[in-house]
Amino acid sequence: MIEPSNPKPRMTAPAATPAVRAAAEARGRAAEDRAAAALVADGFVVLARRCRTPAGELDLVAARDGLLAFCEVKARKTLTEAAFSLAPRQQARLLAAGEWWLGQNPGQGAAGVRFDVLLVDVAGRVRRVVDAFRLE
């Protein structure tokens, strides 16, 4: 039996050049720096940055008065675009990464644990969405 060929070839984006990747990395680090500064200004202590776990990376882990916050930083042209850039699959990855981190750091989060999203726009403005999502 002859199988029909796929009439629509799969379209993939061209690979980013090293310069494009380096620029994106620099923008991401600058956004994380802004987000960390906003957390510190609000009385948090940043415990970890870019924490790699078997489940994925946690951008920032911060604590204040026993409250532990796993923070995802989203940088886009506008705060609105940043707010809509966290997909459910990424939320699940962050929940798993947070669980791993808690397993490695017992005793943290005695006053509670939450997942915050810090939005950063092109002008460097930061808005924090407190307790942005939870394990259902």
Side-chain angles (χ1 to χ4, degrees), residues 20 23 39 62 68 85 89-90 100:
V20 169
L39 287 167
L68 186 64
S85 66
R89 182 175 167 195
Q90 190 174 22
W100 179 90

Side-chain angles (χ1 to χ4, degrees), residues 25-39 49-50 57-60 73-75 120:
E25 174 77 13
R27 284 191 305 273
R29 286 194 183 273
E32 288 174 5
D33 289 344
R34 289 250 189 214
L39 287 167
R49 292 181 68 150
R50 292 193 169 203
E57 184 178 285
L58 295 164
D59 290 339
L60 299 168
V73 178
K74 288 297 187 183
V120 183

Side-chain angles (χ1 to χ4, degrees), residues 4 9 17 27 30 33 35 37 39 44 48 59 62 67 69-70 74 77 82 86 93 108-109 121-122 133-134:
T17 65
R27 284 191 305 273
D33 289 344
L39 287 167
F44 281 85
D59 290 339
L67 173 69
F70 296 110
K74 288 297 187 183
K77 186 175 181 179
L86 187 64
R93 179 188 55 78
Q108 294 286 323
D121 70 7
V122 72
F133 58 91
R134 294 176 181 221

